[in-house]
Amino acid sequence: MIYQIANYVQASRYGNGGVFGIGSQQQIIESRSLWEALVIIAACWKSPKSENLVRLETLKKYPSLQAEDIENSIKIIKENNFLIKPDIFKLDDRYSRNKLYYNQLGGDPLEVQARIESKAVTIIGCGGIGNHVAYMLATCGIKKITLVDDDHIEISNLTRQVLFTENDINLPKTEVLKRELEYRNHSVEIDIVESNIKSIADLDKLEKTDLYIISADSPSQLIDWVNISCVKKKQPYINIGYINDISVIGPFYIPDRTSCFHCQQIVPDLISETITEEPLQKELKSLEHEFKTSTFSAVNGVSASYAVGDIIRYLGEFGDVLSMNKRIGIYSNSIKIQEQSIDINLKCRVCQL
Ligand SMILES: [Zn+2]
């Protein structure tokens, strides 16, 4: 096979040896001779060549190189995705940077891009998270996005629903989002379902797509309904949200592969469902009155961005989907990530019927 060194590879001196590569695959090389061999081989591989030709050319130019250093260098380069197929990176290709990213994470960039361009998703909720996710998927070149929401844009949305402007106030969120997405990538097909989900039946009626993206924060039973409906129709989904100041990603439900939201009880019962027997019924109800979660652009931006990583790896079929069988919480006022496991429960009342 013919390859070349990927555009994202750099090397520099560090301590007695050096570093090779940047990002999560960076190698710190203590041996000076190995680091030098890596640099020589990488430079030789800047133009497309077979592995054997690289060996021959390197030895011809630098006869004093140790065979062991050459072999170890080639191994390091191959094992850390430092190679790319020729002609993948083209400056005038709108997806050129994304293709480098897919390659760096071990995907075949052309295959990953082609898979993404063949996939359709449904975004339920076109607020802060929906805006971010829709923008990122549209600019990645996804084939089709169905936007589900019947809200109209309000002035208080503008702090975080980044694709809406002051001129859009009172317009339907779906229509404005469709307009903004088409400005950014005209090749993406955008469908609108102007409706809010008010029951499991409303979800059952939605067409199946490759993935449902749940980015609405109301009604409070939504995730329960989504889970029941999606399990029933074998529809993959990812839940994205926030709990006040914590960004929340997951669970990512994949039929016959993962647990479902109901496999473990990870959230308390809703107040309204348990309140009838409660001695403090009046007090609990007064607390519920005018309840609104706090929400901030940085918090839902983090949820959306982290989730899009999982969505792209799932649709592009490379790397790992990190929010399967769990819910991930990323704190915004401290350096903390919390994982809540949702193990498959063989007695689950929803997915094991
Ligand atoms: Zn289950």
Side-chain angles (χ1 to χ4, degrees), residues 227 259-263 345 348-352:
N227 191 60
S259 61
C260 82
F261 183 76
H262 288 107
C263 274
N345 173 4
C348 175
R349 65 189 161 90
V350 177
C351 70
Q352 301 291 331

Side-chain angles (χ1 to χ4, degrees), residues 6 35 52 63 85 89 129 146 195 200 224 230 254 267 280 298 302 337-339 353:
W35 179 77
N52 271 340
K85 285 182 185 165
F89 180 75
I129 290 170
T146 301
S195 130
I200 296 177
D224 292 288
C230 288
I254 306 170
V267 289
L280 295 177
V302 165
I337 296 184
Q338 194 177 0
E339 288 183 40
L353 292 174

